[in-house]
């Protein structure tokens, strides 16, 4: 199953989806290799990964799971307002 179909299944199933661009599979490099990239190459890979995740239907895209807490708070606020994915 592709990541795209996984995201679609989550969206269709009523789940908020959060794509992980830099530390996720889309970036395609280890943490060490990503850190060693020239800044232009890093930015280009990051944008490509973000674009891919957004096209797949992610509601939010973050660089790593370390960035997840504020997103969870945003989702909780949206749920409190009655919003659903």
């Amino acid at each position: 199953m592709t990541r795209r179909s996984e995201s679609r299944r989550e969206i269709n199933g009523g789940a908020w989806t959060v794509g992980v661009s830099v530390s996720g599979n889309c970036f395609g490099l280890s943490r060490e290799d990503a850190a060693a990239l020239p800044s232009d190459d890093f930015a280009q890979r990051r944008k490509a990964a973000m674009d891919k995740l957004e096209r797949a239907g992610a509601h939010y895209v973050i660089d790593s799971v370390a960035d997840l807490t504020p997103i969870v708070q945003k989702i909780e606020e949206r749920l409190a307002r009655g919003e659903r994915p």
Side-chain angles (χ1 to χ4, degrees):
M1 181 174 306
T2 66
R3 293 275 177 212
R4 183 179 179 95
S5 62
E6 288 174 8
S7 292
R8 287 286 168 214
R9 185 178 65 214
E10 291 163 353
I11 291 167
N12 292 337
W16 295 96
T17 58
V18 180
V20 181
S21 62
V22 176
S23 66
N25 293 336
C26 284
F27 200 78
L29 295 176
S30 69
R31 189 168 133 192
E32 294 79 17
D33 289 341
L37 283 176
S39 61
D40 288 346
D41 291 344
F42 180 92
Q44 185 177 25
R45 276 186 176 262
R46 180 178 181 265
K47 177 152 179 27
M50 292 177 75
D51 290 347
K52 184 175 184 178
L53 291 164
E54 288 170 355
R55 282 191 312 273
H59 293 98
Y60 298 92
V61 178
I62 57 177
D63 284 346
S64 80
V65 294
D67 304 317
L68 189 57
T69 300
I71 300 304
V72 171
Q73 291 169 342
K74 287 180 182 180
I75 291 170
E76 288 175 346
E77 291 167 2
R78 292 178 76 175
L79 288 169
R81 291 191 303 267
E83 293 182 45
R84 299 290 178 259

